[in-house]
Amino acid sequence: MTTPFQKASEWIDAENAQDPNIETDQDKEYPKELLYSNRMYERLMQFEPNASEEIQIASKAQHICRWKVARESYPMDRVGYLKWREELKKFHAKTTAEILDKAGYDQNFIDRVSFLIEKKLLKKDHETQLLEDVICLVFLEYYLEPFVQKHDEEKLKNIIKKTWDKMSDKGHQEALKINYSEENLNLIKASLGL
């Protein structure tokens, strides 16, 4: 008997597996958002093994079908970027809600997952904060290095500081355990005055 969680997880993976953008991890190629989803879920379960089913789904679906809402379809300035991010949250929440409904979840569960994906009440809601911590940890572990290749030191320090400011104390402790390159660890310490 397949549970609603198993169905929803499979369907989220199936959607993300359609991503035409490919990323390589340990010499293996993956659809970009499927790899991101797997990293989010794995990091959540390491960080908070007793995470609720709602946040487990929200972690997997954080970027569901992200490639369908192109950054280039919004003005290439700060206002355009922020509008794109807001629209993405709503798109991810709606796409996930449709899957959860089909999997047999009730409306309260679906509403809670949408609430988490839209990152409502950050710093006030424990699970929204937990999801944000996981997002930041995944960024620092897997996506900081590509940013380092593209941006100057001042911009990087700003990105690291903003990332750090979004995290809880528990998130900070976990972030300092990540196995960074020596250069990136020095950059993080310099950014945070450690």
Side-chain angles (χ1 to χ4, degrees), residues 128-139:
T128 303
Q129 184 58 55
L130 173 56
L131 186 63
E132 187 64 42
D133 279 345
V134 172
I135 291 164
C136 293
L137 289 167
V138 167
F139 167 72

Side-chain angles (χ1 to χ4, degrees), residues 49-98:
N50 299 318
S52 71
E53 210 164 293
E54 290 90 340
I55 196 161
Q56 288 182 49
I57 296 273
S59 73
K60 284 188 72 63
Q62 184 61 29
H63 278 184
I64 191 167
C65 299
R66 190 182 183 100
W67 68 93
K68 292 183 179 180
V69 184
R71 170 67 186 96
E72 294 74 35
S73 58
Y74 292 83
M76 296 304 282
D77 56 16
R78 177 114 183 106
V79 173
Y81 173 75
L82 293 174
K83 184 155 178 45
W84 173 65
R85 289 289 301 269
E86 271 314 300
E87 293 299 320
L88 270 176
K89 283 191 230 172
K90 290 177 190 155
F91 168 73
H92 297 320
K94 182 174 182 292
T95 306
T96 307
E98 287 165 3

